[in-house]
Amino acid sequence: MDEETQHSLECIQANQIFPRKQLIREDENLQVPFIELHGESTEYVGRAEDAIIALSNYRLHIKFKESVVNVPLQLIESVECRDIFQLHLTCKDCKVIRCQFSTFEQCQDWLKRLNNAIRPPSKIEDLFSFAYHAWCMEVYASEKEQHGDLCRPGEHVTSRFKNEVERMGFDMNNAWRISNINEKYKLCGSYPQEIIVPAWITDKELESVASFRSWKRIPAVVYRHQSNGAVISRCGQPEVSWWGWRNADDEHLVQSVAKACASDSRSNSNKLINGNCSRDFSNGGDLSDVEFDSSISNASGAESLAIQPQKLLILDARSYAAAVANRAKGGGCECPEYYPNCEVVFMGMANIHSIRKSFQSLRLLCTQMPDPGNWLSALESTKWLQHLSVLLKSALLVVHAVDRDQRPVLVHCSDGWDRTPQIVALAKLLLDPYYRTTEGFQVLVETEWLDFGHKFADRCGHGENSDDLNERCPVFLQWLDCVHQLQRQFPCSFEFNEAFLVKLVQHTYSCLFGTFLCNNAKERGEKHTQERTCSVWSLLRAANKAFKNLLYSSQSESVLYPVCHVRNLMLWSAVYLPCSSPSTPADDTCAPYPAPGSSPEDQPLGRLPKTRSFDNLTTACDSSVPTTNRRSSDPSLNEKWQEHRRSLELSSLAECKDEIVCNGELEPENKMTEKPAGFSIAQKYHVTNGHCVNGEDGRIKASLSRQVSTASCSSAQFHLRNLHQKWMFSHLGKQQAASSPDQPARSHLDDDGMPVYTDVVQQRLRQIESGHQQEVETLKKQVQELKSRLESQFLNSSFRLNGDYGDEVTSIPDSESNLDQNCLSRCSTEIFSEASWEQVDKQDTEVTRWLPDHLAAHCYGCDSTFWLASRKHHCRNCGNVFCSSCCNQKVPVPSQQLFEPSRVCKSCYSSLHPSSSSLDLELDKPITATSN
């Protein structure tokens, strides 16, 4: 009975705890202007001035005449009424939205609705991520296990600690050990349950150290250099206070970190320490720009190395003045006299209040209308790029100490959960190429930001009753901005592209996923967010090709040394200026394949030249006469002309009223598994940007039609056109049945309900890659054609009675392979007149282009699916692929110079059934064609 009761409770929770809300329409004719996600329910739909506005439990959607605004509710920071009829929405990612209403009452109604919707939740279950996951589990009840796997992060994330210890090569026998002192978070609620410490440090000493460090955040090792054994550790500030307290166990632990590096078995052979590594900043002064450059230029050289004990670098992210001022609050910094063989450096990074003020200034600048004339000076006054520069310099100093000077580093700020993860995560990203892969980056974020307790709920403002604006700060966004700066300087070193980072920024605040909920791992465990919400890594998984950097090379630099000066940094326009950032429609049809209904004359196999010869393309669109084809990359071709050209090419394939265009991109078969199963998309029929992409069957046949249409064989093209029409009309009814006519198109939204971001560089790379693949396939076909012609000439040479004739396509004379010295082709052709040659039908000498095996998934006759034990057979007459039962007849094919019985399909066999008279006639043709 207990098990049955528990099971029934689970069913009730999935069905009833997140009920849909009643839709309120200001106008009965209004429809929801977007496709809802699972668990999403639209509450209000109304009209603004020249726009339709809709509010759900997940997003605010405003559809203007020429643009669309789609923003999650938790991404909105504040809503206010600036003018009598205008709402002013300020977003946490620097965007500002303005919406004009017709009446004051309507404006006030929407102001109240939005303020209620964006209010911090009273309980965490009010966030949309819980409803989204619960409804997904209900919809996919039959595939619950599969959906659960898709919603969870990969094994590389769940087993990250064990994998990282093994990958970085910690000597767990002599130098280091894994302490479980924080099991069930009994020591520190914002630390992971397992931490790495020197092997000879006991748990009792760790408890003593915890009483001396802020929030009990003791020094814990988080990274080991695989070559020299130098480590990076992190902690909170020491609680020195005005009384100058000290702790012997803390001093012993800090020194033990350096000793453990020296005793590491893998670094025993490399104990050369730079005795002149940098200037001594232990006097408490901040590191200026000049001193930073000089310390970098004085990096370790072979002549300056000396065998000395390792000197640990303590990097304090604060300024010296801020560190001393913290002594009044019970904090402080390490005193060099108490920590021998250590060097303290202060980086002068701003606190969260200064960063928040700088970000607000940047947001105000980016939303000014019109564009200010003093843009550059105004951007400088925000100091946003200056803050990025200081952060990059701090991380680079850690990289130099670990990689070049082979020194261990201890990083901390005040509490150790804001500036500390910024520096440590950025340094690890520069040091280790693994973290620059998609999987490694996920491990990096999970380890340094989530496990070590960055306060996402307070900093992002989506925690329970997180009304304190002083706690909000875009710390994680600032770090992602630095990652973007590294992407710009090292475009071949990152496996993920800019779209990956843009999505990560959006879902840091969107609350669609539960990855960034709560302030630490302890709270997430108590709320069971991992079991009750989806992971953002299920969307940003490595298999998702939309986030893959096509320029990535695994052989790029192992350690990155970026330029950190402000003049080398750029504003992240894709996030802060999304309207002005270069983007194109999310249409990856970039493959320059001809349309199935076009003729070979209209679609030459060669590459089309890039030209700007057409002056008035807009006028040409209105003309019914198709003009000369041009490359899709021609900048003179506007969007209207492209759409018109596609409609002309496909007019012979669709007789329905609505225009349907088949996406030219061949999607992988496992694309549906690359995204969480909870996304509310038709799994078999997915509409994006006005392009109909039917299921696997349709993708294969569409690709088949593109490949074969490049050939100039008229018979193959005729069968291809019939195949495409058959497929189009058979699936058209299913597509219309799957989506109601009132359902809006989803051209501007991605699968997660967010706006589509297209990286113009990556899109151009996909175009180049697609064009290259097409050229390779064309060359392969030409080589295969040449090979078949040469083999045909050699096999049929015995049928040639009076001599050879030249091959029109290969331009290789048949006489080269003929050993007959009396062949007429070796004689001078001057003795023959043009009248002595008999004109031959082109179809009699043209070779059928065979459909490649890898493009045929079904029999052309009975439409049965090929598998491992089902052999494919080509018809020697039409070139299509059939099964053994549909292609079991043999007959000579004189038109293809196959005079012995050859395998043909049933249809061709009926038309080519040999008779004595017809066979003799066909045998005479090649002889008559070469000689009179």
Side-chain angles (χ1 to χ4, degrees):
M1 291 296 294
D2 295 338
E3 295 180 357
E4 295 179 358
T5 304
Q6 184 179 0
H7 180 71
S8 63
L9 288 176
E10 292 178 357
C11 294
I12 292 175
Q13 182 181 11
N15 292 316
Q16 303 295 333
I17 197 170
F18 300 108
R20 296 181 61 88
K21 297 183 179 180
Q22 185 66 29
L23 175 61
I24 300 177
R25 295 186 178 93
E26 295 181 356
D27 188 345
E28 293 299 329
N29 297 326
L30 293 177
Q31 300 293 331
V32 178
F34 56 87
I35 300 178
E36 297 176 338
L37 301 180
H38 291 308
E40 183 179 9
S41 60
T42 305
E43 302 179 33
Y44 303 98
V45 177
R47 293 189 184 275
E49 188 174 312
D50 299 330
I52 297 177
I53 181 171
L55 178 66
S56 72
N57 57 340
Y58 170 57
R59 76 183 97 182
L60 172 67
H61 187 95
I62 307 176
K63 185 177 181 180
F64 298 97
K65 289 184 177 180
E66 298 180 355
S67 63
V68 174
V69 173
N70 190 87
V71 55
L73 297 178
Q74 293 300 323
L75 196 60
I76 304 175
E77 186 173 51
S78 63
V79 182
E80 54 184 342
C81 188
R82 290 287 179 91
D83 297 329
I84 299 180
F85 305 122
Q86 186 184 75
L87 285 184
H88 189 90
L89 292 82
T90 303
C91 298
K92 300 173 184 177
D93 63 345
C94 206
K95 289 193 290 290
V96 171
I97 303 169
R98 300 177 179 89
C99 185
Q100 196 82 15
F101 291 91
S102 302
T103 63
F104 174 75
E105 291 76 11
Q106 189 183 21
C107 182
Q108 290 298 313
D109 290 341
W110 280 99
L111 176 64
K112 295 178 182 178
R113 295 168 183 172
L114 288 173
N115 279 325
N116 291 331
I118 68 172
R119 184 180 295 114
S122 58
K123 60 180 186 298
I124 195 172
E125 287 78 12
D126 293 339
L127 296 175
F128 177 69
S129 56
F130 292 89
Y132 173 66
H133 180 266
W135 276 79
C136 286
M137 298 301 290
E138 178 181 330
V139 173
Y140 297 94
S142 59
E143 305 172 0
K144 188 174 182 179
E145 183 177 354
Q146 178 184 359
H147 174 71
D149 294 339
L150 291 175
C151 286
R152 301 279 75 79
E155 185 180 357
H156 62 283
V157 174
T158 56
S159 305
R160 56 186 175 273
F161 182 79
K162 177 183 177 182
N163 296 339
E164 285 291 271
V165 171
E166 295 178 357
R167 187 185 66 85
M168 290 186 283
F170 282 95
D171 182 9
M172 307 307 295
N173 297 322
N174 303 313
W176 310 99
R177 75 179 181 93
I178 298 176
S179 174
N180 295 317
I181 190 175
N182 198 38
E183 187 177 4
K184 296 183 180 179
Y185 309 101
K186 58 185 179 181
L187 178 68
C188 177
S190 59
Y191 254 33
Q193 299 188 64
E194 296 178 310
I195 56 177
I196 301 176
V197 295
W200 50 86
I201 299 296
T202 64
D203 288 351
K204 186 175 181 181
E205 290 176 301
L206 293 178
E207 292 179 357
S208 176
V209 174
S211 64
F212 183 68
R213 290 284 172 174
S214 176
W215 296 98
K216 297 184 178 182
R217 298 172 66 89
I218 62 178
V221 177
V222 295
Y223 179 76
R224 178 188 180 273
H225 196 284
Q226 299 182 42
S227 299
N228 56 44
V231 301
I232 300 176
S233 52
R234 55 180 295 176
C235 61
Q237 65 177 341
E239 295 182 342
V240 178
S241 76
W242 284 119
W243 303 102
W245 301 112
R246 57 184 298 188
N247 186 289
D249 293 326
D250 184 79
E251 297 166 8
H252 177 56
L253 175 58
V254 173
Q255 297 178 47
S256 297
V257 172
K259 293 179 181 179
C261 291
S263 63
D264 196 320
S265 59
R266 299 195 179 186
S267 62
N268 284 336
S269 61
N270 195 359
K271 291 184 178 180
L272 297 180
I273 305 302
N274 183 13
N276 188 25
C277 60
S278 62
R279 293 182 54 185
D280 188 5
F281 298 98
S282 56
N283 57 356
D286 296 340
L287 189 65
S288 63
D289 291 344
V290 178
E291 292 168 341
F292 173 82
D293 294 335
S294 63
S295 65
I296 297 302
S297 62
N298 292 333
S300 59
E303 66 277 4
S304 62
L305 292 177
I307 300 178
Q308 293 182 0
Q310 290 180 333
K311 192 173 185 179
L312 184 139
L313 174 64
I314 301 177
L315 190 143
D316 196 326
R318 305 164 295 180
S319 64
Y320 177 73
V324 173
N326 266 274
R327 298 181 64 176
K329 302 177 182 179
C333 59
E334 291 82 0
C335 182
E337 290 79 8
Y338 300 156
Y339 294 85
N341 200 31
C342 295
E343 178 186 2
V344 182
V345 176
F346 298 93
M347 294 309 302
M349 292 178 60
N351 57 23
I352 61 171
H353 309 293
S354 299
I355 298 298
R356 180 176 62 252
K357 182 179 179 181
S358 174
F359 183 75
Q360 291 173 350
S361 301
L362 176 66
R363 180 169 55 195
L364 180 63
L365 172 64
C366 293
T367 56
Q368 286 185 6
M369 298 294 292
D371 184 29
N374 59 338
W375 166 262
L376 294 178
S377 59
L379 178 61
E380 181 188 11
S381 64
T382 64
K383 297 185 179 181
W384 182 255
L385 297 182
Q386 287 88 327
H387 292 314
L388 298 183
S389 176
V390 175
L391 176 53
L392 287 169
K393 288 179 180 178
S394 304
L396 188 57
L397 187 62
V398 176
V399 172
H400 275 279
V402 173
D403 182 56
R404 294 187 177 181
D405 301 339
Q406 304 174 10
R407 301 171 58 190
V409 180
L410 175 64
V411 182
H412 71 78
C413 51
S414 296
D415 299 318
W417 51 47
D418 289 319
R419 287 165 285 188
T420 299
Q422 285 182 328
I423 297 174
V424 173
L426 208 56
K428 293 171 69 173
L429 197 68
L430 295 173
L431 283 167
D432 199 331
Y434 169 71
Y435 297 120
R436 299 193 286 271
T437 65
T438 304
E439 290 187 355
F441 191 81
Q442 297 173 5
V443 172
L444 179 66
V445 173
E446 289 277 349
T447 301
E448 297 302 324
W449 291 93
L450 296 171
D451 289 347
F452 278 88
H454 175 65
K455 302 168 65 175
F456 278 100
D458 291 343
R459 298 295 180 256
C460 299
H462 53 237
E464 295 179 352
N465 302 315
S466 56
D467 297 319
D468 190 359
L469 298 180
N470 289 326
E471 286 292 318
R472 298 187 185 181
C473 181
V475 177
F476 188 65
L477 172 59
Q478 184 188 17
W479 179 76
L480 290 178
D481 198 339
C482 288
V483 178
H484 165 254
Q485 302 295 335
L486 296 179
Q487 274 190 336
R488 285 187 54 258
Q489 296 191 27
F490 304 96
C492 301
S493 299
F494 292 84
E495 187 181 15
F496 49 88
N497 55 22
E498 186 180 11
F500 180 93
L501 296 179
V502 172
K503 281 290 183 184
L504 197 54
V505 171
Q506 293 173 347
H507 291 300
T508 302
Y509 300 95
S510 69
C511 293
L512 176 63
F513 303 97
T515 305
F516 301 112
L517 300 183
C518 305
N519 284 324
N520 50 61
K522 180 182 179 181
E523 293 183 8
R524 283 186 286 273
E526 293 173 349
K527 302 295 184 180
H528 303 284
T529 59
Q530 184 174 358
E531 296 80 13
R532 301 166 62 193
T533 62
C534 298
S535 172
V536 71
W537 310 127
S538 61
L539 172 67
L540 304 178
R541 60 178 65 239
N544 196 335
K545 293 186 177 181
F547 305 122
K548 183 179 180 181
N549 178 20
L550 298 180
L551 291 176
Y552 172 68
S553 172
S554 58
Q555 306 299 325
S556 58
E557 303 92 336
S558 58
V559 180
L560 305 182
Y561 289 93
V563 181
C564 307
H565 302 299
V566 178
R567 62 175 175 266
N568 296 102
L569 306 181
M570 291 186 64
L571 187 68
W572 195 1
S573 59
V575 174
Y576 309 133
L577 298 170
C579 297
S580 62
S581 60
S583 62
T584 54
D587 179 14
D588 292 337
T589 61
C590 318
Y593 293 107
S598 58
S599 62
E601 291 76 9
D602 297 335
Q603 299 289 352
L605 292 177
R607 298 186 64 180
L608 295 174
K610 178 179 285 189
T611 171
R612 297 175 181 267
S613 58
F614 212 105
D615 295 327
N616 195 348
L617 290 174
T618 307
T619 307
C621 296
D622 301 330
S623 175
S624 60
V625 181
T627 58
T628 304
N629 289 319
R630 304 170 66 190
R631 290 178 54 181
S632 300
S633 59
D634 193 334
S636 299
L637 294 177
N638 54 26
E639 183 178 358
K640 183 179 179 182
W641 164 248
Q642 293 284 3
E643 294 178 354
H644 178 69
R645 184 173 65 87
R646 287 196 294 264
S647 64
L648 290 176
E649 292 172 347
L650 296 171
S651 59
S652 61
L653 298 178
E655 300 177 358
C656 55
K657 295 182 180 180
D658 298 331
E659 178 183 353
I660 299 180
V661 182
C662 287
N663 196 339
E665 181 184 10
L666 181 60
E667 299 182 2
E669 296 181 6
N670 60 347
K671 186 171 183 180
M672 288 299 103
T673 63
E674 296 170 3
K675 301 174 182 178
F679 291 140
S680 60
I681 332 167
Q683 295 292 320
K684 189 173 182 180
Y685 308 104
H686 175 42
V687 180
T688 54
N689 302 313
H691 293 252
C692 173
V693 185
N694 287 9
E696 176 185 353
D697 203 28
R699 289 196 301 269
I700 294 175
K701 293 190 177 182
S703 174
L704 181 148
S705 63
R706 289 196 308 269
Q707 296 285 354
V708 180
S709 62
T710 58
S712 59
C713 178
S714 60
S715 61
Q717 192 175 29
F718 174 78
H719 289 289
L720 169 66
R721 189 178 297 111
N722 293 339
L723 170 65
H724 194 280
Q725 286 181 342
K726 176 182 177 182
W727 166 78
M728 179 71 72
F729 289 111
S730 64
H731 289 282
L732 180 60
K734 297 180 181 179
Q735 170 63 29
Q736 292 177 346
S739 59
S740 60
D742 297 334
Q743 203 168 25
R746 199 172 181 171
S747 59
H748 58 281
L749 298 181
D750 209 343
D751 300 331
D752 53 357
M754 298 294 291
V756 175
Y757 171 75
T758 303
D759 190 338
V760 64
V761 175
Q762 297 295 324
Q763 187 180 29
R764 180 57 185 147
L765 288 174
R766 292 190 183 96
Q767 290 179 355
I768 297 174
E769 183 184 37
S770 178
H772 173 72
Q773 291 177 354
Q774 183 212 5
E775 291 178 355
V776 171
E777 291 297 326
T778 303
L779 290 175
K780 286 182 179 179
K781 292 178 182 178
Q782 293 176 356
V783 170
Q784 185 66 27
E785 180 181 342
L786 293 175
K787 183 179 178 181
S788 63
R789 283 175 176 265
L790 290 174
E791 291 176 353
S792 176
Q793 288 176 347
F794 180 77
L795 294 176
N796 298 322
S797 59
S798 60
F799 289 94
R800 299 174 182 176
L801 304 179
N802 297 328
D804 302 344
Y805 59 91
D807 189 8
E808 180 183 1
V809 178
T810 62
S811 299
I812 300 177
D814 292 343
S815 59
E816 291 182 4
S817 61
N818 196 336
L819 301 179
D820 186 5
Q821 299 295 329
N822 297 325
C823 179
L824 292 177
S825 63
R826 293 184 180 271
C827 301
S828 173
T829 58
E830 295 178 358
I831 61 176
F832 301 105
S833 64
E834 293 183 2
S836 64
W837 293 86
E838 179 181 344
Q839 186 175 2
V840 181
D841 189 4
K842 183 179 179 181
Q843 185 176 2
D844 294 336
T845 60
E846 191 173 34
V847 176
T848 300
R849 273 69 169 177
W850 281 16
L851 183 69
D853 284 343
H854 68 277
L855 293 179
H858 302 269
C859 174
Y860 190 81
C862 63
D863 205 33
S864 61
T865 304
F866 292 118
W867 62 293
L868 185 62
S870 176
R871 186 176 177 182
K872 302 177 181 179
H873 299 276
H874 278 90
C875 175
R876 270 59 174 177
N877 184 51
C878 64
N880 290 318
V881 180
F882 298 84
C883 62
S884 58
S885 61
C886 295
C887 192
N888 56 0
Q889 305 291 339
K890 289 188 177 182
V891 67
V893 188
S895 62
Q896 303 302 323
Q897 310 238 347
L898 299 176
F899 304 103
E900 294 293 331
S902 303
R903 186 184 293 271
V904 295
C905 63
K906 295 180 179 179
S907 176
C908 294
Y909 178 79
S910 60
S911 61
L912 295 174
H913 198 279
S915 62
S916 58
S917 59
S918 62
L919 182 59
D920 295 339
L921 180 61
E922 292 294 335
L923 287 173
D924 290 338
K925 284 186 177 180
I927 301 173
T928 309
T930 56
S931 173
N932 240 355

